[in-house]
Each structure stands twice: as structure tokens, then as C-alpha cells.
Amino acid sequence: MKKNKVAIIGTVGLPAKYGGFETLAEHLVTHLSDTYDFTVYCSKKKYTKEEQIETYKGAKLEYINLEANGVQSIPYDTISILKALRKNEVLLILGVAGAWILPLVRLFTNKKIIISIDGIEWKRDKWPLFAKLYLWWAEKIAVRFSHIDISDNESIQDYTALRYQTLSRVIEYGADHTLEVNPTLNDCINYPFLSQDYAVKVCRIEPENNVHLVLEAFQELPSKTLVLVGNWKNSEYGLALKEKYSNIPNIHLYDPIYNQREIDLIRGNAALYIHGHSAGGTNPSLVEAMYLGLPIISFNVSYNKTTTEHKALYFSTTDQLIKKLKATSETKLKALSKEMKSIALRRYTWDAISNQYALLIKEALQTDKKNSVYSDIQKLDNDLLIDYHIAHLKNTELFYSKR
């Protein structure tokens, strides 16, 4: 049977070794390549010549000689979209960087567009004003000119419904690729903190992830250990924090770790996960921590509360975090651990997530119309609705009362 051709656009590429969208792409091709013919667009800048393979898990790989992130993401996604038009029926676009071209795609082609808006990207503090304005505008274009748009969190769905009056589809992230790792003797030598209770945080080192706030709290609590993994060298913010806190005895700072076993060794053996993200939607590192069965103390915003079903602990300030760390008992942490694991098993598995994407692709192939938050009857002329109402009031007989 002929398979429909689907392009995955907006990731760094495959095999996945960078972030949430790449992990999503990896699992989509793993679970759905028997159903769909995938082409994944990859950044040539991030893969060596030897790593630039032609196919991966049944998907074709095409390379663009640009960075996938930052300002180059705009031409990177644009070129990927143009290339994808030649031979794909559905464009699955992850992120809004290349959305400016979507009105032309809709005008001149019959290609189906599914786009994930990736949280509310324009609100992130890391972007300068011009970038924020572009992302704000691009988000609007993405939602308006896609056939289906995806929110990775119900709070994002509420936002798009209010702002654009469209019905976004909520599909989150899977987490069952994480590994339960029992430390070996060598592991304990490499990471001495494994022999004690410690809290862990894994994130991009950006202001909206409140890294400074978490570090401040643990500096005030020398009896509690924090392990924080992130890209310290990518910004002045990160460099300044690493210089300030790298010599604090109870704080261990690590550069990004992409090896799955190693990162899950560090995360999975922690006593607690600290999640400081204040922008975005469903964050992959949060659902992965939940799947590993870690109790969660999370920044108090709607996205995180939705992800954890309002059952984690929450903080908004350094003082609040310090109080939570001091006051939360072992019994409470064990109960939180079971709660987070239960939610993750129910909601955050790649089999379930992939099936939802498969249904969206099938729907996109059969639809030309974007779903609105309003029912079709609300779009009818008011005078016509009044005529129907009057006619209904004049008819006093019920259909089953007629002989």
C-alpha cells in the first residue's frame, strides 16, 4: 500500500541528540514509519560528514547547511519547507520560525500543514525585542495558516483559543525513553554525590528557567546538595552564574550531557527534581523526571501545574523554595514520587503520543477547514437564527406525538 509522505521540519535532526523536538521526531519515525513515509530535515552544522546518513529508522534525512536554532532558524525552516513541498503531502512543522511563508504555501499548493507552536516562544526573556516581535507575529501566522495547530499543554490551548478563536490540539511529550540506572562503583567515583541525597535540575541556562533563583536557595542551605546540568557557556547569564556558584561545596554544576544512560544515572538517583521553567508549555525534562518517579518542586505557573495535575509542590521565590526544601518530609516526598510516576505512565508515553500524531496526520489529509472554538451554528446570520427560533416556538407538537 502506498504510504502518505510526511515532512518533519524544525528540528536539529536525527539521530536525536539535542532537545525535545528532536526526541519527538525520533519517536515519531520509530513508531510510525510503517504507516507514513517520513523525510526529516537536519542541520548539516550539527552532524559530522560521517554522521550525515541518508536514512534513519525508515525515514529519509535531508541536510540544510544552516544552524537550526537562533536567528538562522528562520532561513533554516524556510528552506526546509520549500524543499519539502516538492514531494510531501503533509508538512509537520515544529516551531514557528519559518511561519512567514505559510500564507504562500496555502495560496499556491494543496499541501497540508500541521504546526506545533512550541509554547509561547515570544514571551521568553532570552529574545531581544525584535526577535520577540517577529515570534509574536509568526505565531499568529502559524495558527491562522495551518490546517491543524498543536499545543503541548492545555494552558497553551487556552491561550490560542482566547487569542485566535481556534481549537488547538493538545499533544504532550513522551518520557518512557528514560532509563532506570543503578550506579556502578565507577559511577560513584565519577559522581561522588550519588552516595547521598541530592536534588537535580536539568535545563537550558536561561533567565526564564530561574536558574539563579534555584542556585540562591541552595547557597542558603549548605546541608542540601544540588546537581545542575545545563549549557553554561551559551550566554553571559550562564557564564556569570557558573563563575559565582562553581566553588560552593554543596552545588555541582555540569555542562550538557547527551548520553542517555549518563543523564538518567544523575536524574534517576536523585531524591528530588527542581523545575524552574516559567515560560513555554509541557517541558520534556519535567515529564522525564516524572516518569523516573522523582518528586517535583516546580515553579508556580499554569503550564507546570497542568503538566503535574496540580499535585506537585510549587514555588515562586527563593524564600518559598527554601521553605519547601526545609519543610517537606520524607513521607511527603515518597507520596509525591508515586503520584508523579502514576501521571507519567498514564499520559507521557511515546506510544500514546505517536498514536495522537498519527490521527492528526490522517485528519489533516482529509480536511481543508480549520476548527474554530465556535460551533458552526454561531456563524449563521442572526436574522436566520431568529426565523428558526420563531418557527420552532409555533410548532407545539413533538415529533413522536403525531399519529
Side-chain angles (χ1 to χ4, degrees):
M1 188 177 73
K2 182 177 176 290
K3 294 189 286 187
N4 294 112
K5 296 179 184 296
V6 179
I8 300 179
I9 294 163
T11 77
V12 171
L14 294 178
K17 56 180 181 178
Y18 291 99
F21 275 159
E22 290 70 37
T23 304
L24 169 61
E26 171 111 20
H27 287 281
L28 290 181
V29 303
T30 299
H31 286 82
L32 301 179
S33 281
D34 289 342
T35 306
Y36 296 108
D37 185 359
F38 286 106
T39 300
V40 181
Y41 291 85
C42 312
S43 171
K44 192 180 280 190
K45 300 284 189 181
K46 293 297 185 184
Y47 294 89
T48 65
K49 195 168 185 179
E50 293 72 29
E51 290 175 325
Q52 291 172 28
I53 54 181
E54 293 184 2
T55 61
Y56 181 74
K57 294 188 175 181
K60 301 179 189 70
L61 306 183
E62 290 198 20
Y63 295 89
I64 310 295
N65 194 24
L66 290 167
E67 295 283 354
N69 298 311
V71 69
Q72 287 193 30
S73 64
I74 299 172
Y76 176 81
D77 284 11
T78 302
I79 292 169
S80 299
I81 290 168
L82 292 171
K83 282 178 169 284
L85 291 175
R86 291 180 296 176
K87 54 186 178 183
N88 294 281
E89 297 153 89
V90 178
L91 310 184
L92 174 56
I93 304 171
L94 306 177
V96 303
W100 72 271
I101 202 171
L102 296 185
L104 299 176
V105 175
R106 288 295 298 269
L107 183 62
F108 294 109
T109 80
N110 60 357
K111 307 299 182 181
K112 306 300 183 181
I113 300 166
I114 304 173
I115 193 161
S116 173
I117 67 168
D118 188 26
I120 308 176
E121 189 69 15
W122 61 269
K123 284 191 174 184
R124 295 185 186 275
D125 293 336
K126 68 178 180 179
W127 298 118
L129 179 60
F130 177 78
K132 286 186 176 186
L133 290 172
Y134 174 77
L135 290 167
W136 176 84
W137 175 77
E139 176 190 276
K140 183 177 181 179
I141 297 297
V143 173
R144 180 177 176 186
F145 289 95
S146 58
H147 292 88
I148 298 172
D149 63 278
I150 300 169
S151 298
D152 64 13
N153 187 285
E154 288 177 16
S155 295
I156 304 292
Q157 184 189 50
D158 292 343
Y159 161 78
T160 58
L162 288 168
R163 185 175 178 196
Y164 304 114
Q165 290 77 53
T166 61
L167 185 62
S168 180
R169 310 306 173 80
V170 177
I171 307 182
E172 293 146 328
Y173 292 106
D176 50 327
H177 59 279
T178 55
L179 307 171
E180 291 186 15
V181 182
N182 293 317
T184 65
L185 182 59
N186 281 339
D187 292 330
C188 293
I189 292 170
N190 291 332
Y191 301 110
F193 56 78
L194 288 170
S195 61
Q196 64 188 90
D197 283 347
Y198 62 94
V200 68
K201 176 173 172 60
V202 180
C203 67
R204 290 190 177 98
I205 309 303
E206 297 167 352
E208 64 262 25
N209 292 342
N210 290 294
V211 181
H212 57 288
L213 190 155
V214 176
L215 289 168
E216 286 168 9
F218 278 85
Q219 186 180 29
E220 296 295 317
L221 296 169
S223 64
K224 296 189 179 293
T225 300
L226 172 69
V227 177
L228 212 162
V229 181
N231 55 341
W232 305 96
K233 298 173 184 175
N234 279 34
S235 66
E236 291 298 322
Y237 174 76
L239 289 169
L241 288 177
K242 189 161 190 183
E243 182 179 356
K244 182 176 179 180
Y245 291 100
S246 58
N247 293 319
I248 306 296
N250 63 314
I251 295 175
H252 304 271
L253 307 181
Y254 289 90
D255 289 332
I257 297 170
Y258 298 115
N259 178 277
Q260 192 71 49
R261 181 195 179 276
E262 192 172 2
I263 192 62
D264 287 339
L265 165 74
I266 293 171
R267 293 188 297 184
N269 290 286
L272 178 66
Y273 191 82
I274 310 290
H275 188 69
H277 292 54
S278 61
T282 297
N283 185 264
S285 65
L286 177 56
V287 299
E288 288 165 6
M290 293 170 68
Y291 193 87
L292 287 166
L294 299 182
I296 306 292
I297 300 182
S298 174
F299 198 77
N300 189 12
V301 289
S302 61
Y303 321 114
N304 298 334
K305 294 176 100 170
T306 299
T307 302
T308 57
E309 297 184 355
H310 296 254
K311 292 175 181 175
L313 300 176
Y314 305 98
F315 69 97
S316 300
T317 66
T318 299
D319 287 343
Q320 286 179 7
L321 178 55
I322 289 171
K323 286 177 183 175
K324 297 288 183 188
L325 291 167
K326 283 182 174 179
T328 308
S329 67
E330 284 292 322
T331 303
K332 176 64 174 175
L333 289 176
K334 286 180 181 177
L336 270 177
S337 173
K338 290 180 181 178
E339 197 76 67
M340 297 300 104
K341 181 74 173 183
S342 174
I343 294 169
L345 286 170
R346 176 164 36 85
R347 290 174 58 180
Y348 306 130
T349 65
W350 283 116
D351 187 51
I353 300 302
S354 298
N355 285 338
Q356 290 178 65
Y357 272 92
L359 290 171
L360 275 199
I361 293 168
K362 186 175 181 181
E363 181 185 343
L365 287 163
Q366 298 173 359
T367 187
D368 290 313
K369 181 181 173 184
K370 184 107 179 189
N371 283 342
S372 169
V373 292
Y374 302 114
S375 64
D376 285 344
I377 197 168
Q378 289 176 283
K379 299 173 188 174
L380 295 176
D381 182 79
N382 278 340
D383 291 338
L384 180 61
L385 288 173
I386 290 168
D387 289 343
Y388 274 121
H389 182 59
I390 292 170
H392 172 71
L393 291 176
K394 286 180 179 177
N395 182 14
T396 58
E397 285 189 318
L398 300 173
F399 75 93
Y400 54 79
S401 66
K402 292 181 180 179
R403 303 290 181 190

